[in-house]
Amino acid sequence: MVRSDSEPTPIPTATGRATGGTGPTRFRERFLQGEPVDTGVRTPILSSWRRSLALGLSPDQTVLPFREDFDSGGRLVRAAVPVLDRLQTRFSGSEMNISLADASGTVLLRRFGQSSLLRKLPAIQTVPGFVFAEQVAGTNGIGLALAERQLIRVYGAEHFAERSQRGACIALPVRDPLSGRIEGILCFGYPLSAETPALTAVIRKAAQATERRLLRQSSTRERALLQAYLATGADVSGADAADGLDRAPTLDLRPRDREILKEKAAELISGAQRAAVDVSLPGGRRITLVSRPMTSASGVQGIAIEALLPGSAPGAPLLLPHQVDEVSGFPTAEGTAESAAEPAAEPAVLSAARSHPRLAVAERAGRAGRAGRAGRPPEIVEPSPAARGLVLLGEPHVGAYAVAARRRLELLSEASARMGTTLDVRRTAEELAETAVPRLADFVTVDLPEAALRGEESADPVEDLRRTVVHGIRDGLPFTPVGKRIEFGPTAPQLRCLTSGRAVLEPDLKAAAGWLAQDPEHTRQLLEHVHSLIAVPLVARGVLLGIASFYRAGEPYGDDDRSLAQELSTRAALSLDNARRYTHERAMVLALQRRLLPHGLPDQDAVEVAHRYLPAESDVGGDWYDVIPLSGSRIGLLVGDVVGHGMLSAATMGRLRTAARSYAELDFPPDEVLVHLDNLVGRLDREDPDGEGVGIIGATCLYAIYDPTTQRCVMARAGHPPPALVSPDGTVSYPDLPAGPPLGLGGLPFDAVEIDVPQDSQLVLYTDGLIEDRHRDVDVVLEQLREALAQPGRTPEETCQAILDTVAPAHPCDDIALLVARTHALDPDRIATWELPADPALVSDVRAAALRQLADWGLDEASFAAELILSELVTNAVRHGSGPIRVRLLYDRALICEVSDAANTAPHLRRAASTDEGGRGLFLVAQLSRSWGTRYLAQGKVIWAECELDAA
């Protein structure tokens, strides 16, 4: 049978927040259109979307399967009805929709905060029997909780079906306490505006209450065994079972003795055989355990384990009393008599749980018989010299004794996977609190030294504590707020914990005088909300990192809780110390990295430059960039990336940047600069004392030289991503530039390519952190970069920001260095060129022409220096070079004089002796110019010199 969801939903429309996973409408639309949405959507939601699409489901689906044969009176329904009734009362007046589904996703029960919702909501949201499994309903709370087998929240547009877009839900599996199997799903549906973190605690307690009631149903067989055992005891004692229990002495054992006996008793029950074994206890004491198979009147077969002290006679059964209260706020068994007669599941002993995780507890059998008659637990009397008592009773491989142990182990397993994933000190402290609430504590505070938050080791952590985390099942409690300094009184449990280095348990804070004395007014307010406290020091590798305080409002903490809190805190402390060490190292590496990068841009007119450096979230790498003024008004643009992360990569980056700048300033072409860098990286690798010559150092690099006089750019790369060229009209292209091998391989050539770069074009150089990400395809990212750049008229700063906003990953796992240069052209009127043969007679003509050009430019003050420089350079070219000779003057920020010829020999500056007739020409050039040098061409060379424009 299929019913249609044709009626409108009264839940108000709301747009979910993209941050935190609440209703990513834009990402959902992109996903449905077939676009990649690897970021911006929570992983469980995206996985469910993909599964839904693969199943052929349609987002506009308005029908769901309906089962008329669902079990409306099964054990899960019987266990959940009182819990759901209590929830309905709790949420009375709200738009809460409470549902219970079975393990197939079929809704069995529904409750509503407002009865009017029954009339307003469509049948699909009010009538039990509809199936919400993911394979038929798509992404929803019930279906996703079944698929993920854990607590799930789904918000707004995260639902696959459009019919559910206007609400939110939280769902949690309900498991069989004995087998751990999922029996059903508890789900809360509500408007987006009603979202609150407290719902997590509420649904967890409701699920636990349902599971406890399932356990009581399973304990019927155990109670039958208990009655059979009591009847046996009555026969022995000659009185009825209740009287026999009253007259029986109580076996008073130390906690460690009881744990040893329980562990051995678990082994005997699992063996399902009649046996008697001697158990050694600390101090040389011994107790005999006897296993006795028995069958109840209803045919239930089980094993009873009795402890016999030396000299004991076969008397009435002896019990070890222990009691655990119900979950606060949820109902117990139906009826007072039934509630009193049922044995409650008690916290597990871990040793027994590890050996036999499905062992039933019978230790509390005496309370069952006595509490049903007198409403009180057995009284503890002095131990008898001749005593026998029941230790455990249950069916082989079945029982409730390990329920609490399993949950504790699950909590520790979750803590191991959850804490310390971010290597952030504050976030790790938050993960500790979030893991402990609500399964161990109702409220958790974490106090850390301020130095630890900076990654440093505090000199006096007790005096430097700051409130770092306050987390609980609800807000508004009078805890010291986050960021405030914490001072514990001399008798406070927290100070005792810090000074002793051990966890401190205060089961009843009302009786903890030291805690009350530190701040009577503040503690009085807290006592209205909390009852018990465990304070645990956060110590790792001998360093005190802070303190965690676990508060509970319900039943008092016990020793098992303290052990669990200690284990959680120990694991958290190791993660905190790792995060602190990482924070310290990252801060140093980042400081070194930024120190080694350029602190400013050189003054030049060839390009307008903007740059960005974005360190990786996890670690700092060796990305770098540089802008280098070259002769002839040219500009060099460098971007590089050292392989790896950390201090070594940052230091190597600094050495490479310095070397690359030196090679560039020698006017080497790009391919030759890369050859020299390749040799340097190989040498660094061989010289590394820890590398052993295995090639641990590597790098990539891209070097481009732009000439504003010709508007051409020559570039080469060594294993680096290609640059992007944005034309003035917004056309984006990636030049066909040979990739070349990464630096450090040695012996392989690099190819340079020369391209035309019109004025007002943009050259975009970047490192691989911008485009390479394990969650994204490189080709797709390059296309995204093309779309981001295809906007003419933007400044380099605007281009940088657009790239980071649209292309850069939200959480970069590698450094990103970005360099954007908008090209300019040198005005042709500021360029003067003459060509002449190698004839000494023409030197005077060149000088005269140059003086006239300087006069036209209004540079008469520089004519004297320029005339001498040109005279010397042209004369040297005529005498020592070969024709033709080319003379060029460039009027830029300085006056640049260039003389080129076809010879490859270069002049050298030397100091002439007093008796020499020549050799002083280059000395004069060096004195009259700001700088001078030689630049080699494919054929020949260029001798150049720059004159200050204010030169006399």
Side-chain angles (χ1 to χ4, degrees):
M1 175 179 177
V2 176
R3 297 187 180 180
S4 173
D5 179 14
S6 58
E7 302 179 43
T9 303
I11 299 176
T13 301
T15 302
R17 304 183 303 273
T19 303
T22 47
T25 306
R26 178 169 60 91
F27 293 103
R28 179 177 177 273
E29 292 175 354
R30 288 174 52 190
F31 173 82
L32 294 177
Q33 293 172 2
E35 299 181 18
V37 288
D38 292 336
T39 59
V41 182
R42 292 184 293 149
T43 300
I45 299 297
L46 183 58
S47 299
S48 180
W49 284 357
R50 290 171 175 166
R51 291 194 297 266
S52 300
L53 209 59
L55 290 168
L57 300 179
S58 173
D60 56 1
Q61 175 184 355
T62 58
V63 294
L64 286 181
F66 181 82
R67 292 180 52 189
E68 294 181 334
D69 60 342
F70 68 91
D71 189 358
S72 60
R75 61 191 294 264
L76 179 61
V77 172
R78 295 196 306 272
V81 163
V83 179
L84 266 63
D85 289 343
R86 184 63 177 269
L87 288 172
Q88 182 175 12
T89 302
R90 176 182 182 128
F91 294 112
S92 176
S94 68
E95 294 185 78
M96 184 68 70
N97 184 342
I98 307 164
S99 57
L100 178 75
D102 62 15
S104 67
T106 303
V107 175
L108 307 177
L109 292 174
R110 284 197 181 275
R111 295 290 188 272
F112 304 93
Q114 295 178 2
S115 58
S116 60
L117 293 178
L118 282 168
R119 300 186 300 272
K120 296 179 181 178
L121 292 176
I124 200 172
Q125 293 182 341
T126 58
V127 179
F130 284 98
V131 181
F132 284 84
E134 185 185 67
Q135 55 266 33
V136 296
T139 307
N140 69 90
I142 294 175
L144 193 52
L146 282 171
E148 296 290 335
R149 305 179 67 83
Q150 62 180 346
L151 178 72
I152 285 294
R153 291 179 182 266
V154 184
Y155 305 91
E158 288 183 335
H159 291 88
F160 187 76
E162 294 180 0
R163 65 171 180 274
S164 305
Q165 298 292 300
R166 290 167 288 181
C169 63
I170 179 173
L172 179 67
V174 177
R175 300 176 183 270
D176 184 289
L178 301 180
S179 66
R181 183 177 60 249
I182 294 178
E183 293 290 327
I185 300 294
L186 184 62
C187 182
F188 295 170
Y190 51 89
L192 284 167
S193 57
E195 169 65 23
T196 171
L199 287 179
T200 301
V202 174
I203 198 170
R204 285 193 186 278
K205 285 193 174 183
Q208 290 175 7
T210 305
E211 291 172 352
R212 292 172 69 89
R213 294 181 58 80
L214 284 171
L215 179 61
R216 291 195 183 90
Q217 295 178 15
S218 302
S219 64
T220 302
R221 297 167 62 88
E222 181 186 343
R223 291 199 301 273
L225 290 174
L226 174 61
Q227 293 300 325
Y229 178 80
L230 294 177
T232 302
D235 291 342
V236 172
S237 62
D240 62 82
D243 291 339
L245 287 173
D246 281 345
R247 294 196 304 269
T250 301
L251 189 61
D252 189 9
L253 295 173
R254 302 170 185 172
R256 179 56 183 160
D257 296 345
R258 300 168 75 177
E259 300 299 331
I260 294 174
L261 293 179
K262 289 176 184 177
E263 183 174 0
K264 191 60 181 179
E267 296 177 5
L268 294 175
I269 290 180
S270 65
Q273 296 178 354
R274 186 185 299 272
V277 296
D278 289 337
V279 180
S280 299
L281 299 178
R285 295 170 293 118
R286 302 178 66 83
I287 287 183
T288 301
L289 289 184
V290 177
S291 64
R292 182 151 53 104
M294 57 192 316
T295 303
S296 70
S298 58
V300 179
Q301 296 182 348
I303 303 292
I305 307 298
E306 293 179 322
L308 301 180
L309 292 177
S312 61
L318 182 63
L319 308 172
L320 310 180
H322 189 72
Q323 182 173 350
V324 173
D325 296 334
E326 283 291 330
V327 176
S328 177
F330 288 93
T332 59
E334 297 87 355
T336 304
E338 180 184 353
S339 175
E342 290 187 7
E346 72 174 285
V349 178
L350 293 180
S351 58
R354 295 188 187 102
S355 301
H356 306 285
R358 300 175 62 190
L359 181 67
V361 176
E363 175 189 340
R364 54 244 194 267
R367 187 179 73 255
R370 186 182 316 198
R373 180 181 59 82
R376 69 181 190 277
E379 297 179 358
I380 299 179
V381 298
E382 292 299 323
S384 169
R388 76 188 272 261
L390 179 65
V391 178
L392 289 178
L393 183 148
E395 297 178 79
H397 312 297
V398 179
Y401 185 71
V403 172
R406 177 172 57 80
R407 287 180 174 168
R408 290 170 186 266
L409 292 173
E410 289 174 353
L411 180 59
L412 291 175
S413 176
E414 177 184 335
S416 299
R418 183 174 184 179
M419 292 189 301
T421 58
T422 62
L423 288 176
D424 179 82
V425 176
R426 192 181 303 275
R427 180 57 193 151
T428 302
E430 293 172 352
E431 289 169 346
L432 168 62
E434 292 169 359
T435 302
V437 175
R439 282 177 285 180
L440 174 62
D442 295 321
F443 304 94
V444 174
T445 63
V446 180
D447 307 317
L448 302 177
E450 189 173 6
L453 298 175
R454 300 192 302 266
E456 303 170 3
E457 186 173 331
S458 176
D460 189 356
V462 177
E463 297 296 329
D464 190 29
L465 287 176
R466 299 274 177 173
R467 179 57 46 88
T468 306
V469 175
V470 177
H471 182 69
I473 57 176
R474 62 181 182 275
D475 298 328
L477 266 67
F479 288 108
T480 302
V482 172
K484 295 292 185 180
R485 184 173 178 178
I486 300 296
E487 295 182 0
F488 295 114
T491 57
Q494 286 89 346
L495 189 62
R496 287 161 38 210
C497 159
L498 292 171
T499 54
S500 66
R502 297 190 301 270
V504 172
L505 167 64
E506 290 289 355
D508 186 1
L509 287 175
K510 293 181 179 179
W515 186 77
L516 295 170
Q518 64 173 338
D519 189 348
E521 179 63 23
H522 180 247
T523 53
R524 183 188 62 80
Q525 296 175 6
L526 273 181
L527 282 175
E528 299 177 1
H529 307 278
V530 298
H531 174 74
S532 191
L533 165 69
I534 298 176
V536 186
L538 299 172
V539 180
R541 303 179 180 96
V543 177
L544 178 61
L545 300 174
I547 184 172
S549 300
F550 303 85
Y551 295 90
R552 180 179 287 177
E555 62 177 292
Y557 280 124
D559 290 330
D560 289 342
D561 299 310
R562 177 171 56 183
S563 300
L564 179 59
Q566 179 71 68
E567 178 65 22
L568 273 178
S569 300
T570 299
R571 300 187 183 196
L574 288 173
S575 298
L576 282 170
D577 191 50
N578 290 337
R580 180 189 65 82
R581 291 167 179 258
Y582 166 77
T583 301
H584 180 65
E585 180 178 348
R586 186 176 188 273
M588 291 192 301
V589 174
L590 187 58
L592 175 63
Q593 173 86 341
R594 295 193 182 279
R595 188 67 179 174
L596 294 175
L597 289 173
H599 293 279
L601 297 177
D603 294 332
Q604 46 81 35
D605 295 325
V607 292
E608 179 185 351
V609 179
H611 56 87
R612 295 288 191 278
Y613 171 72
L614 188 65
E617 284 191 352
S618 58
D619 207 346
V620 180
D623 291 19
W624 54 281
Y625 59 89
D626 209 346
V627 179
I628 308 170
L630 302 175
S631 63
S633 294
R634 298 171 307 142
I635 196 74
L637 305 174
L638 266 167
V639 171
D641 181 8
V642 176
V643 174
H645 298 85
M647 189 70 71
L648 176 61
S649 295
T652 304
M653 178 275 292
R655 300 176 71 175
L656 283 183
R657 175 178 171 256
T658 301
R661 189 177 187 92
S662 300
Y663 297 142
E665 289 178 344
L666 290 174
D667 268 328
F668 291 146
D671 52 338
E672 290 190 25
V673 169
L674 294 183
V675 169
H676 288 293
L677 290 177
D678 182 50
N679 294 333
L680 174 62
V681 172
R683 186 164 61 252
L684 292 177
D685 193 19
R686 292 189 298 271
E687 293 173 356
D688 180 28
D690 300 323
E692 298 180 358
V694 297
I696 65 167
I697 298 177
T700 65
C701 184
L702 171 63
Y703 181 33
I705 299 177
Y706 171 70
D707 189 344
T709 65
T710 62
Q711 300 179 46
R712 294 183 66 80
C713 181
V714 59
M715 59 183 71
R717 61 181 176 134
H720 202 82
L725 175 62
V726 185
S727 301
D729 61 358
T731 303
V732 181
S733 63
Y734 296 99
D736 187 10
L737 179 62
L743 300 177
L745 296 183
L748 298 175
F750 300 93
D751 296 324
V753 172
E754 188 172 7
I755 60 174
D756 291 322
V757 181
Q759 184 176 1
D760 290 329
S761 298
Q762 289 192 0
L763 280 169
V764 181
L765 286 66
Y766 50 88
T767 55
D768 58 2
L770 178 67
I771 62 172
E772 293 184 5
D773 183 55
R774 60 177 176 269
H775 302 298
R776 304 187 299 173
D777 183 80
V778 173
D779 293 334
V780 174
V781 179
L782 287 175
E783 188 60 32
Q784 292 176 351
L785 179 60
R786 183 192 302 272
E787 295 174 358
L789 294 175
Q791 300 292 333
R794 286 194 303 207
T795 65
E797 284 290 341
E798 293 171 342
T799 301
C800 276
Q801 195 58 47
I803 293 174
L804 294 182
D805 291 341
T806 60
V807 182
H811 304 284
C813 57
D814 194 6
D815 290 19
I816 297 175
L818 179 62
L819 189 65
V820 178
R822 183 166 66 182
T823 61
H824 300 304
L826 187 61
D827 190 343
D829 293 338
R830 290 179 170 235
I831 303 174
T833 306
W834 301 274
E835 290 191 6
L836 64 154
D839 185 355
L842 299 178
V843 175
S844 60
D845 295 339
V846 172
R847 290 201 305 264
L851 291 176
R852 289 193 297 271
Q853 183 63 62
L854 292 177
D856 292 341
W857 286 342
L859 301 179
D860 294 330
E861 69 279 1
S863 59
F864 175 75
E867 181 181 12
L868 289 178
I869 291 173
L870 282 176
S871 178
E872 179 60 32
L873 294 182
V874 173
T875 301
N876 280 344
V878 170
R879 289 182 176 180
H880 306 291
S882 59
I885 297 173
R886 185 170 180 263
V887 178
R888 188 171 71 160
L889 292 180
L890 303 178
Y891 177 19
D892 197 9
R893 289 177 176 262
L895 177 63
I896 304 172
C897 305
E898 294 184 346
V899 177
S900 60
D901 63 79
N904 290 324
T905 57
H908 297 282
L909 179 66
R910 65 184 181 87
R911 183 176 297 276
S914 58
T915 58
D916 292 340
E917 295 183 358
R920 296 177 177 83
L922 287 181
F923 180 77
L924 291 175
V925 170
Q927 293 299 309
L928 294 173
S929 63
R930 182 173 65 182
S931 59
W932 73 280
T934 303
R935 180 171 74 249
Y936 288 93
L937 306 176
Q939 291 182 348
K941 64 181 180 299
V942 176
I943 310 297
W944 57 270
E946 293 185 2
C947 296
E948 295 286 358
L949 292 181
D950 58 352

